Amino acid sequence: MNSKLINYSWQFGLFILLSLVIIGTYFYAPLAKGLGEYTRVMYFHVPAAWVTVVAFFMGAFYSFMYLRKRDLLFDFYAEAASQLGIIFCILATITGALWAKESWGAYWNWDPRQTSIFILLLIYGAYFSLRSAIEQNETKARLSAVYSLLAFITVPFFIFIIPRIYESLHPDPLVNTEGKLKMNAKMLTVFLSSLGGFTIVFFWLMHLKKTFIQLSIKLQKLTDQEN
């Protein structure tokens, strides 16, 4: 009973946090100079991109654990984390496209950041194509784990490095060209709260998916025993 109460309490706390982030985005944080109303997109776009990195890292971590332990459970976890990574990556792409439409006049401009995230979607789309093409579980898990580790090497490259090597229209939400912090205290409070809230949402969703995977495995074992 106590564990259920704690579980419901932190979920309610997460709901309150995200509600406050939304309220803060529209009624508390001031608008950034040069961005105007489009500033509000930043509080959702950047956290979504951040969680994309976290999710793909977790996918690579569980892939490493599979190669080390040879336990299919880690392969299922790696797949679940990568699925969430794709979802947040798409969310980051959509919010970025909405900002681009209002700022640059088109949803897609093949800006270095847009191109990078598109390539990242292709890379992880190939991961799921690989998994769907192999029926044997151990072979699928082994090849997917190796691919996941190699794929994650590209994540920091496409998210953090490429957009800074080439000239981009995409503004840096945190610092200006002189390296000084753009955000005032109010903006930073909402931004960090959103970043934390999105991160917690990912781990909550990951927890739900892991629980579902464990239940599915137990159900499969019971079915096999009955047969």
Side-chain angles (χ1 to χ4, degrees), residues 62-75 138-139 141-143 145-146:
Y62 285 124
S63 294
F64 171 78
M65 291 301 296
Y66 169 77
L67 292 175
R68 184 179 179 185
K69 302 288 187 180
R70 298 294 176 173
D71 185 344
L72 283 175
L73 190 62
F74 290 117
D75 174 59
E138 285 73 18
T139 303
R142 185 174 66 256
L143 293 178
V146 173

Side-chain angles (χ1 to χ4, degrees), residues 104-126:
W104 305 334
Y107 289 110
W108 200 263
N109 301 271
W110 293 107
D111 179 82
R113 288 183 184 265
Q114 289 182 318
T115 305
S116 295
I117 204 165
F118 176 71
I119 295 174
L120 204 58
L121 282 171
L122 292 180
I123 290 173
Y124 276 89

